[in-house]
């Protein structure tokens, strides 16, 4: 079975940067679509970024140009580099992995979440 473990969350100032990492164990995920969702207090979960098994990337308009997603299949890891952070980025960030045609929002595997807090 697959486990996803996020790391790198914490406190940042507005305009600063954070690097989130999601490490998978249990099996290789080279053919999976990987991505990040986030959930702010009192709000529904929303899509942030995703990357396909061939390396194609997708971003929500709210993070486009500021966040960069990448993957290292040899290390079974996906990275979310976040820059130019704003308080609106404050949320719990979740790593997800999906196989086949199943939407990423209905991913097969989810991480436990990591808190990102951005101060003004």
């Amino acid at each position: 079975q697959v486990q996803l473990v996020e790391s790198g969350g914490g406190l940042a100032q507005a305009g600063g940067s954070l690097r989130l990492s999601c490490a998978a164990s249990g099996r290789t995920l080279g053919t999976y679509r990987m991505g990040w969702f986030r959930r702010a207090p009192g709000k529904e979960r929303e899509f942030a970024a995703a990357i396909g098994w061939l390396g194609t990337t997708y971003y929500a308009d709210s993070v486009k140009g500021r966040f960069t997603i990448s993957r290292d299949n040899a290390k079974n890891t996906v990275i979310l580099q976040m820059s130019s952070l704003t308080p609106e980025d404050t949320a719990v960030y979740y790593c997800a992995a999906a196989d086949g045609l199943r939407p990423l929002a209905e991913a097969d595997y989810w991480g436990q979440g990591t808190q990102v807090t951005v101060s003004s």
Side-chain angles (χ1 to χ4, degrees):
Q1 295 184 341
V2 174
Q3 289 187 337
L4 303 178
V5 180
E6 300 103 331
S7 62
L11 179 65
Q13 297 182 26
S17 300
L18 284 175
R19 182 178 183 270
L20 304 184
S21 178
C22 175
S25 62
R27 70 186 301 175
T28 58
L29 300 179
T31 61
Y32 281 67
R33 289 171 287 111
M34 305 287 295
W36 294 88
F37 289 78
R38 63 186 187 179
R39 186 169 187 169
K43 297 183 178 180
E44 296 184 2
R45 184 185 65 190
E46 68 173 2
F47 169 77
I51 184 167
W53 68 279
L54 293 177
T56 303
T57 57
Y58 307 86
Y59 298 97
D61 289 340
S62 58
V63 309
K64 191 174 300 181
R66 300 187 299 117
F67 291 9
T68 301
I69 188 171
S70 61
R71 68 192 300 167
D72 186 340
N73 289 342
K75 298 181 179 180
N76 226 20
T77 300
V78 62
I79 301 296
L80 185 67
Q81 178 65 51
M82 305 185 296
S83 300
S84 301
L85 289 166
T86 74
E88 288 70 36
D89 295 316
T90 296
V92 177
Y93 285 71
Y94 299 91
C95 178
D99 197 10
L101 298 178
R102 192 173 187 86
L104 191 60
E106 300 175 9
D108 300 282
Y109 307 104
W110 292 89
Q112 81 288 348
T114 185
Q115 176 71 48
V116 171
T117 302
V118 183
S119 64
S120 60

